[in-house]
């Protein structure tokens, strides 16, 4: 009976840690103009860009002709939400809602971790790991997206219907949470989750089409994106500048991208690798034979890692997704992704050194900036490969479930009788 008893000590410690670290993040947010914290660039995303989009959305339309608008229509609902908070500026309300989503994630992970046979390590990873990204998570809406993915995975076991709904809502905000449905157990749970995800997605898109103009305009701008300087391809091109490559960085589509010779080839290679990653994941899904309670969690982390490292864009806020999914994995004692979670945490720390602390070095293509991005992206690539290998191995049925059988040879019966008679 004692092994099922949950003591309040660890939960209270996590609550205290969350309160202290989030107070520090708020302090950093208030001092965002310091050069080491980005010189105001982190806050500017909310106070200028998000607030500008809010002004468009509140009049019933998406920013159709804005090249920076590259998000599914569900993002509009998230950006409109701060306007509902009375007595607060848009920036204050946005940060308050982000903190509420952060607390929701921590609470959901803690609740999952206190169940019999589970672990609070996931809640600890999220609570202590998010501050590695400094104040960036408070000034992006990726925490809200991650909350939907976390709820999708944690509710899937006892309610595939709810899991499908949360997955669809997350995909409508930023696409990638749809990958949380990859590892649903085969049979009825998968049919239920995927059906409810499809119904929720279709109904929500229809609602956006009725209430707003241009809900699918993001597809045009998304297709025009190039190679962001922080992606794997961008790191290779940045290093090539030291070997005489004549390209240069340029701000476009809301990010610093590289323009010049071979950029189109690198972008095409990234898209091809993303397609190949999707094929590998489908093959895993078809060939997987062993499911544990951790399989949906592990599959989601592996899928998002693969799509992240093969993407033309790896923005620093992408690390929030990976941290949240790694935390979900660690709530289960059966997860295969513990070493992957450690690599993700290390990549978060390096990502912060690159942005915002040393972003000028990255843009200028100095050796410091190049080596920082090379180290961060090497960690992500290693995490993706290790995650897939461990996911694939965990999908094999345990050997003891299928013991080899030996066919009795000629005379085996007589040998057995003789052994019994002499014993």
């Amino acid at each position: 009976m004692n092994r099922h008893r949950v003591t309040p000590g660890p939960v209270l410690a996590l609550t205290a840690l969350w309160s202290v670290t989030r107070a520090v993040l708020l302090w950093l947010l208030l001092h965002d103009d310091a050069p080491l914290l980005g010189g105001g660039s982190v806050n500017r995303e909310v106070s200028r860009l998000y607030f500008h989009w809010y002004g468009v959305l509140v009049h019933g339309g998406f920013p159709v002709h804005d090249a920076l608008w590259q998000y599914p229509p569900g993002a509009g609902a998230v950006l409109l939400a701060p306007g509902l908070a009375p007595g607060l500026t848009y920036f204050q309300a946005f940060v308050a809602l982000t903190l509420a989503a952060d607390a929701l994630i921590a609470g959901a992970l803690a609740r999952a971790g206190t169940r019999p046979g589970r672990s609070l390590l996931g809640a600890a990873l999220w609570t202590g790991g998010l501050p590695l990204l400094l104040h960036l998570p408070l000034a992006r809406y990726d925490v809200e997206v991650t909350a939907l993915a976390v709820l999708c995975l944690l509710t899937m076991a006892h309610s595939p219907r709810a899991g499908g709904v949360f997955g669809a809502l997350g995909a409508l905000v930023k696409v990638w949470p749809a990958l949380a449905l990859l590892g649903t157990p085969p049979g009825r749970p998968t049919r239920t989750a995927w059906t409810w995800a499809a119904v929720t997605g279709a109904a929500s898109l229809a609602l956006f089409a009725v209430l707003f103009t241009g809900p699918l305009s993001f597809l045009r701008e998304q297709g025009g994106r190039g190679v962001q300087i922080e992606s794997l391809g961008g790191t290779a091109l940045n290093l090539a500048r030291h070997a005489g490559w004549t390209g240069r960085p340029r701000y476009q589509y809301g990010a610093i991208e590289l323009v010049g010779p071979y950029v189109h080839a690198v972008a095409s290679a990234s898209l091809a690798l993303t397609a190949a990653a999707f094929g590998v994941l489908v093959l895993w899904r078809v060939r997987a034979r062993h499911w544990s309670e951790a399989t949906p969690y592990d599959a989601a982390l592996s899928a998002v890692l693969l799509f992240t490292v093969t993407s033309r864009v790896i923005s620093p806020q992408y690390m929030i997704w990976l941290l949240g999914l790694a935390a979900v994995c660690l709530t289960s004692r059966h997860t295969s992704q513990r070493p992957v979670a450690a690599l993700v945490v290390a990549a978060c720390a390096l990502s912060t050194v690159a942005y915002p602390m040393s972003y000028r070095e990255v843009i200028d293509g100095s050796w410091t900036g190049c080596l920082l991005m090379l180290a961060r992206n090497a960690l992500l690539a290693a995490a993706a490969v290790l995650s897939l290998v461990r996911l694939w191995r965990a999908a094999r049925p345990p050997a003891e479930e299928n013991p080899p059988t030996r066919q009795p040879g000629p005379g085996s019966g007589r040998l057995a009788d003789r052994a019994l008679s002499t014993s």
Side-chain angles (χ1 to χ4, degrees):
M1 292 294 291
N2 289 338
R3 65 190 181 92
H4 297 296
R5 188 178 301 160
V6 178
T7 58
V11 176
L12 291 175
L14 285 173
T15 303
L17 178 63
W18 188 92
S19 301
V20 171
T21 54
R22 274 45 179 185
V24 172
L25 296 190
L26 284 171
W27 185 87
L28 293 173
L29 194 66
L30 293 174
H31 295 80
D32 177 65
D33 55 345
L36 201 61
L37 298 178
S41 62
V42 176
N43 282 358
R44 208 157 30 234
E45 189 93 357
V46 179
S47 58
R48 295 186 184 178
L49 186 60
Y50 289 2
F51 184 64
H52 165 69
W53 285 339
Y54 169 80
V56 177
L57 290 162
V58 78
H59 289 99
F62 284 90
V64 175
H65 302 295
D66 190 341
L68 301 183
W69 180 258
Q70 303 150 21
Y71 308 106
V78 176
L79 297 179
L80 281 170
L84 302 176
L88 297 176
T89 66
Y90 184 86
F91 182 84
Q92 291 169 343
F94 182 91
V95 173
L97 290 175
T98 303
L99 279 172
D102 174 18
L104 177 63
I105 294 172
L109 291 168
R111 182 179 180 184
T114 54
R115 290 173 180 163
R118 292 299 195 95
S119 172
L120 283 170
L121 193 56
L125 179 73
W126 174 261
T127 303
L130 196 66
L132 291 175
L133 298 171
L134 302 183
H135 55 304
L136 175 73
L138 299 184
R140 300 291 185 272
Y141 73 89
D142 295 84
V143 173
E144 287 87 335
V145 183
T146 303
L148 290 169
V150 168
L151 292 175
C152 168
L153 290 169
L154 293 180
T155 59
M156 189 70 68
H158 61 271
S159 179
R161 180 184 303 179
V165 170
F166 283 124
L169 293 177
L172 281 169
V173 177
K174 221 167 189 181
V175 180
W176 68 265
L179 295 172
L181 300 174
L182 175 70
T184 52
R188 186 174 180 179
T190 289
R191 291 192 299 270
T192 301
W194 292 7
T195 298
W196 276 88
V199 170
T200 302
S204 300
L205 283 175
L207 183 62
F208 279 116
V210 170
L211 298 177
F212 297 88
T213 59
L216 300 180
S217 61
F218 74 99
L219 294 172
R220 179 176 60 252
E221 306 303 339
Q222 188 64 239
R225 298 201 72 164
V227 178
Q228 191 214 25
I229 200 168
E230 295 170 75
S231 66
L232 266 71
T235 299
L237 290 172
N238 225 8
L239 282 167
R241 295 167 73 179
H242 293 275
W245 181 63
T246 56
R248 66 188 188 281
R250 177 194 294 172
Y251 180 79
Q252 57 186 19
Y253 294 99
I256 302 296
E257 296 186 349
L258 291 165
V259 295
Y262 310 113
V263 169
H264 180 71
V266 171
S268 299
S270 296
L271 291 172
L273 287 172
T274 299
F278 180 75
V280 170
L281 290 168
V282 171
L283 183 62
W284 168 83
R285 172 79 198 193
V286 171
R287 298 190 63 179
R289 292 294 178 268
H290 177 69
W291 253 259
S292 73
E293 66 173 19
T295 301
Y297 310 160
D298 296 354
L301 176 59
S302 185
V304 175
L305 269 168
L306 285 171
F307 275 80
T308 297
V309 299
T310 59
S311 174
R312 295 170 293 170
V313 180
I314 306 181
S315 297
Q317 57 264 31
Y318 289 15
M319 304 306 300
I320 301 171
W321 316 345
L322 300 176
L323 201 64
L325 295 177
V328 174
C329 290
L330 294 188
T331 62
S332 173
R333 299 183 188 276
H334 301 285
T335 183
S336 63
Q337 303 293 304
R338 287 190 185 89
V340 178
L343 291 175
V344 168
V345 170
C348 285
L350 271 179
S351 186
T352 295
V353 177
Y355 180 88
M357 299 176 72
S358 305
Y359 203 51
R360 175 48 55 185
E361 300 279 351
V362 175
I363 295 174
D364 292 342
S366 69
W367 278 112
T368 299
C370 287
L371 292 177
L372 269 174
M373 294 315 309
L374 183 63
R376 197 282 303 269
N377 289 338
L379 282 173
L380 287 179
V385 172
L386 181 62
S387 178
L388 180 63
V389 169
R390 294 179 71 87
L391 176 70
W392 202 283
R393 288 176 178 172
R396 298 174 183 171
E400 58 270 17
E401 290 184 6
N402 298 294
T405 57
R406 295 181 60 187
Q407 297 295 328
S412 59
R414 293 193 298 271
L415 289 172
D417 292 342
R418 189 178 304 168
L420 288 172
S421 64
T422 56
S423 60

